[in-house]
Amino acid sequence: MDLVIRDARVIDGSAAPSYRADVAVAGGRVAEIHREDSPGPRPSGARTLDAGGLALAPGFIDMHAHSDLALLRDPDHSAKAAQGVTLEVLGQDGLSYAPVDDRTLAEVRRSIAGWNGDGADIDFDWRTVGGYLDRLDRNFGGRGIAVNAAYLIPQGTVRMYAVGWEDRPATAAELDRMRRLVAEGMREGAVGMSSGLTYTPGMYADDAELTELCRVVAAHGGYYCPHHRSYGAGALEAYGEMVRLTRSAGCSLHLAHATMNFGVNEGRAPELLALLDDALDAGADISLDTYPYTPGCTTLAAMLPGWASEGGPRAVLDRLADPDTAARVRHDLEVTGSDGCHGVPIEWDTIEISGTGEPGLAAYVGLTVAESAERRGEEPWTVARRLLVEDRLGTTILQHVGHEENVRQIMRHRVHTGGSDGILQGDKPHPRAYGTFPHYLGRYARELGVLSLEECVAHLTARPAARLRLPDRGLVREGYRADLVLFDPDTVAAGSTFDEPRALPTGIPHVLIDGRFVIEDGRRTQVLAGRSVRRAA
């Protein structure tokens, strides 16, 4: 054996009661599990690690990550590795960097600079899904990446490529091109397709178009992961739309950051769960992910009405520069409730600036738009418009619109998994980027008892592995990959807070990927054991 982990409390990912055992690793896989009451000799190996009763679990799977460029630029990536994350699912919310042509790449880089930076430090030497996955594998001189990564084909990027930024139905030829792009991406290893249906240009797709693309995804054994059309006014209708659409297409459904936000949805989680239970009982294949926090995180530009974003980023800035058009945007935001803000009139005291691309705007970070306006003796819209224009749509925000009781009820559901939705950009990012998984274990399992420890681990490991159809991950089993986390159930906790969002967690001393230590004694090693994880044929 390469490694024997002695006297571990094995929480194997199945939700079954934990047990004491020695776990032996060889060739990057779990080779033997010797329970404390098993007969015969204990395994021995080239190296022994005394777990001393630490919990040993499968590596955590982040079902909703925005590390698409971070994995290429940062060999350390402790934001996720230190949490025990061994696999991230990228390509989220319908916007990412493959498949593209030169025009589309330039546009998508600009439109999601608030999520990933503008990419000026990245050599974009790929254009296809397969090319991006290959790039992950050969990154850093062929050493790979910090953690494993799977990829969803971003439907908004596909529409950008085939149709552009126009708010209209796709032509037959354009729809056929989108089908081909999705099929090619699935054949090249994507695990499914994502959408951002409050983001442009993905929101311009109607249900018929989405259904056709989901049929392609289903034909290749993938799943559809929508950020649906509303998490505010009309949220239940938006969830129902996704259930009906995927059932019509015969496609598996995974609901992204599934929650019920804004005042109109306080206390309404049971209605969502009843909707999902009815569909599951009728045979639908549905799962969901959430992060264990109440605020959301996105870009300030995402709040704008869809009509204002038609034509792409340059057109948005032109509209904001025109006083009459800007006044119309303001009315939609503050009075009507824009589709970008989920149909709810915006409350500027809930919009906290978390990061700006322009250093000269850093004074706004950490303040709500309402606070900044009060300090400057201005109206909130004046502040918001200035940020949008001067930061060229790159401003990131925290949106304080969630409800704790909704968060707790949804995380208990039988198809729930964990996803950080972690945006790593900005001076003051959401602490979920650095803290989601230990926060589940420490806050919601140990302190609040919302989930037992065994149940919580299952939500973060075996359930997501099943959704991704990974036959050898997500459980501590002989023959499975040795993606493992050792943590202390009594002390594990998120170090990140809203004041110190990049603080690393405590109580996670060891993390292994393919049997190699990426975190050892609480410190990041130089090991790059991550690779692309592609859909199995």
Side-chain angles (χ1 to χ4, degrees):
M1 303 298 176
D2 301 322
L3 170 69
V4 176
I5 302 171
R6 294 241 187 257
D7 191 28
R9 175 187 172 186
V10 178
I11 304 176
D12 67 5
S14 70
S18 61
Y19 59 87
R20 291 280 184 140
D22 297 342
V23 176
V25 173
R29 294 184 179 269
V30 176
E32 183 181 348
I33 300 174
H34 185 90
R35 297 190 182 223
E36 64 178 351
D37 56 355
S38 297
R42 300 171 75 178
S44 61
R47 178 179 176 186
T48 299
L49 173 67
D50 185 0
L54 290 173
L56 174 66
F60 305 136
I61 298 176
D62 189 341
M63 287 296 287
H64 194 103
H66 288 283
S67 305
D68 306 47
L69 298 186
L71 281 169
L72 296 177
R73 66 164 63 99
D74 180 13
D76 183 84
H77 201 48
S78 287
K80 295 300 177 67
Q83 292 187 61
V85 171
T86 57
L87 171 60
E88 299 183 90
V89 184
L90 313 176
Q92 300 287 350
D93 294 326
L95 291 166
S96 191
Y97 306 94
V100 293
D101 57 10
D102 291 349
R103 171 191 61 82
T104 307
L105 176 61
E107 291 173 348
V108 77
R109 285 175 61 182
R110 190 169 178 182
S111 64
I112 56 173
W115 294 356
N116 299 307
D118 63 9
D121 55 338
I122 301 294
D123 178 12
F124 289 90
D125 58 352
W126 69 87
R127 294 294 181 270
T128 65
V129 170
Y132 174 71
L133 295 174
D134 289 343
R135 173 60 187 280
L136 293 175
D137 290 337
R138 70 172 189 272
N139 207 51
F140 301 117
R143 295 173 60 210
I145 48 179
V147 304
N148 296 310
Y151 189 75
L152 294 164
I153 301 164
Q155 170 260 330
T157 301
V158 168
R159 195 172 216 273
M160 196 186 306
Y161 192 155
V163 181
W165 291 83
E166 298 177 40
D167 183 2
R168 60 169 176 80
T171 67
E174 291 165 342
L175 181 56
D176 189 55
R177 189 180 191 191
M178 286 190 279
R179 286 195 199 96
R180 291 198 306 271
L181 289 168
V182 172
E184 289 167 4
M186 292 300 297
R187 286 194 296 268
E188 291 166 359
V191 294
M193 181 180 75
S194 74
S195 282
L197 300 178
T198 66
Y199 300 135
T200 54
M203 69 159 61
Y204 300 145
D206 60 20
D207 284 3
E209 179 180 314
L210 295 171
T211 299
E212 286 301 309
L213 299 183
C214 282
R215 288 194 172 109
V216 177
V217 173
H220 289 84
Y223 68 92
Y224 181 43
C225 179
H227 163 133
H228 51 273
R229 298 192 193 274
S230 176
Y231 290 81
L236 286 175
E237 292 79 1
Y239 281 112
E241 175 192 10
M242 295 297 101
V243 171
R244 291 189 300 273
L245 186 156
T246 49
R247 296 211 72 189
S248 175
C251 188
S252 301
L253 173 63
H254 180 83
L255 295 163
H257 38 60
T259 188
M260 299 284 286
N261 286 338
F262 301 91
V264 295
N265 289 316
E266 186 172 3
R268 298 187 70 188
E271 296 175 62
L272 167 61
L273 301 180
L275 184 157
L276 298 181
D277 283 335
D278 287 345
L280 288 161
D281 292 344
D285 181 9
I286 301 173
S287 55
L288 59 88
D289 66 67
T290 70
Y291 47 83
Y293 299 87
T294 53
C297 180
T298 186
T299 63
L300 184 59
M303 300 293 101
L304 298 174
W307 64 262
S309 298
E310 187 176 5
R314 179 68 262 170
V316 178
L317 292 169
D318 289 344
R319 291 186 181 103
L320 291 170
D322 176 70
D324 291 338
T325 309
R328 183 184 166 201
V329 171
R330 177 182 184 178
H331 184 272
D332 273 15
L333 281 170
E334 296 183 344
V335 179
T336 306
S338 80
D339 45 8
C341 195
H342 308 275
V344 178
I346 200 164
E347 297 175 330
W348 295 114
D349 60 349
T350 69
I351 306 297
E352 178 185 350
I353 305 304
S354 61
T356 60
E358 289 295 323
L361 301 173
Y364 291 92
V365 174
L367 300 174
T368 67
V369 172
E371 289 169 338
S372 292
E374 183 177 1
R375 291 188 182 190
R376 290 167 172 78
E378 298 175 333
E379 293 185 316
W381 168 243
T382 302
V383 171
R385 183 184 177 195
R386 180 186 304 123
L387 284 165
L388 288 163
V389 172
E390 294 184 11
D391 209 20
R392 301 181 65 78
L393 312 181
T395 303
T396 53
I397 62 169
L398 303 183
Q399 196 171 14
H400 296 270
V401 292
H403 304 286
E404 178 67 19
E405 70 276 15
N406 286 348
V407 170
R408 295 189 192 187
Q409 290 192 52
I410 293 169
M411 75 169 63
R412 291 190 183 102
H413 195 265
R414 53 180 161 147
V415 297
H416 170 266
T417 69
S420 72
D421 196 10
I423 294 175
L424 302 170
Q425 289 294 117
D427 297 318
K428 194 182 178 189
H430 196 303
R432 69 193 186 192
Y434 285 72
T436 286
F437 295 86
H439 201 49
Y440 267 119
L441 297 167
R443 175 66 174 162
Y444 286 91
R446 181 181 66 242
E447 295 178 7
L448 298 176
V450 175
L451 297 166
S452 71
L453 192 59
E454 287 85 356
E455 289 172 328
C456 188
V457 168
H459 286 229
L460 308 181
T461 59
R463 286 190 189 177
R467 166 52 70 215
L468 295 168
R469 298 188 179 182
L470 301 176
D472 58 356
R473 299 177 196 264
L475 293 166
V476 181
R477 290 281 193 276
E478 292 179 358
Y480 276 57
R481 290 184 180 273
D483 294 353
L484 303 169
V485 181
L486 281 151
F487 67 91
D488 185 343
D490 295 329
T491 63
V492 62
S496 60
T497 65
F498 288 98
D499 291 329
E500 297 291 339
R502 288 190 169 89
L504 296 180
T506 57
I508 305 179
H510 304 291
V511 181
L512 297 89
I513 296 178
D514 272 0
R516 302 167 66 195
F517 285 91
V518 295
I519 300 290
E520 187 172 8
D521 295 324
R523 297 178 181 176
R524 181 71 173 92
T525 70
Q526 295 184 3
V527 168
L528 292 173
R531 297 294 184 271
S532 67
V533 174
R534 310 189 191 212
R535 181 189 57 83

